[in-house]
Amino acid sequence: MKNLNDNLAPGTMRMLDRRSTLQRRSFLRGGGLGAIGIAVIPAAGIAAAKDVAAQQSFRHLGAATGKTLLRMARDLYPHDKLAESFYVEAVAPYDAAAAKDKGVKTLLTEGVKDLDQRARQRYGVPYAEVKTEDERVALLKDIEATPFFRKVQGGLVTGLYNNKKLWPLFGYEGSSWQKGGYVNRGFDDIDWL
């Protein structure tokens, strides 16, 4: 959506043009480029890159625990359009905390072992390999009262949503008090809702 008022006076509300600007030519061009991209980039390479990022990020907790925490992060806060790197960034502080505090390390590793054991009992595979999101969410609901779950869930809220690089992807313009607040700056211009 394009901004109708590019040169707004300070303190005035911006207006958004809500009409679709997609044209046939740009749609076809984008579809052709997408088909080329799919043909050129093998899915196995993408999956391998995710595993490498996870292994590099979890020196103290280990790759298996890191992989489970990443899958858990995606299931607790699912945003299909977010790159894996944002979730790795959100989960990485757990590894740093585990390096400093043996109690945190024990809580996380034992919590992941318990979650994996529950997944193996129910589905025959560790949590990170359970096929559907609904099955994984059912497992998470079983442990939601545990200290492990609360620790991971609570840390991920700030780890993910305090990342300023993500704010534009969510449509959040950042803090407003420095600019006079939201009342005169389009508090109701949420165009993704």
Side-chain angles (χ1 to χ4, degrees):
M1 294 185 199
K2 65 182 179 181
N3 191 344
L4 293 177
N5 302 314
D6 288 333
N7 299 319
L8 286 176
T12 59
M13 186 168 76
R14 67 184 176 114
M15 300 296 290
L16 298 176
D17 181 3
R18 299 200 186 278
R19 293 174 289 175
S20 176
T21 58
L22 184 65
Q23 296 176 350
R24 182 177 174 267
R25 185 177 304 259
S26 61
F27 175 77
L28 292 173
R29 185 179 327 132
L33 291 174
I36 291 170
I38 290 171
V40 173
I41 301 173
I46 294 170
K50 287 181 183 179
D51 287 343
V52 169
Q55 289 172 357
Q56 291 174 347
S57 299
F58 303 105
R59 293 179 311 168
H60 304 286
L61 290 172
T65 300
K67 183 178 179 181
T68 299
L69 289 173
L70 281 172
R71 181 73 263 167
M72 218 178 138
R74 279 231 177 248
D75 291 334
L76 288 171
Y77 301 101
H79 298 285
D80 295 334
K81 294 181 181 182
L82 288 188
E84 191 76 8
S85 61
F86 291 119
Y87 286 98
V88 171
E89 266 184 67
V91 174
Y94 292 117
D95 193 58
K100 294 176 185 174
D101 185 346
K102 289 187 182 218
V104 171
K105 183 175 184 176
T106 301
L107 176 69
L108 294 172
T109 55
E110 293 301 317
V112 166
K113 282 180 188 175
D114 177 54
L115 185 58
D116 283 342
Q117 181 182 2
R118 290 169 187 260
R120 281 188 184 97
Q121 286 174 349
R122 197 176 294 176
Y123 304 111
V125 293
Y127 175 81
E129 296 174 23
V130 173
K131 295 291 182 202
T132 69
E133 183 178 349
D134 289 340
E135 292 171 338
R136 290 188 306 271
V137 168
L139 288 165
L140 291 176
K141 285 185 179 188
D142 289 346
I143 65 162
E144 69 185 348
T146 66
F148 164 69
F149 180 87
R150 289 192 303 252
K151 173 80 172 166
V152 173
Q153 181 190 34
L156 285 173
V157 168
T158 55
L160 196 60
Y161 299 118
N162 278 358
N163 186 340
K164 290 182 181 181
K165 293 179 278 186
L166 288 175
W167 291 355
L169 299 175
F170 294 135
Y172 178 58
E173 296 173 1
S175 177
S176 179
W177 71 269
Q178 303 94 331
K179 300 170 187 167
Y182 287 113
V183 173
N184 296 320
R185 288 191 56 247
F187 70 93
D188 62 350
D189 67 352
I190 297 175
D191 54 356
W192 53 268
L193 197 59

